[in-house]
Amino acid sequence: MQMLVRFVKDQSGATAIEYGLIAACISVAIITVATNVGSKLNSTFTQVQSALK
């Protein structure tokens, strides 16, 4: 019974999970921004290419 109580009160794993979730959210945000910037850059370079022809 004491082992179960110690397991329930242990918070060390929760912190690691929280940091993992934060890192995952930041990664998703970076990927989203990079994708949007990439498509906008592609559009800009296509316009420049068309203007130079």
Side-chain angles (χ1 to χ4, degrees):
M1 188 66 176
Q2 289 178 349
M3 189 172 166
L4 180 64
V5 171
R6 266 188 282 145
F7 177 74
V8 170
K9 289 184 178 181
D10 188 16
Q11 296 276 328
S12 62
T15 302
I17 292 171
E18 290 168 356
Y19 284 131
L21 288 173
I22 291 169
C25 289
I26 290 171
S27 298
V28 168
I30 289 172
I31 290 169
T32 303
V33 169
T35 303
N36 288 339
V37 169
S39 64
K40 288 181 182 180
L41 274 174
N42 190 18
S43 172
T44 301
F45 284 129
T46 303
Q47 289 175 354
V48 169
Q49 181 183 12
S50 296
L52 291 175
K53 286 184 180 180

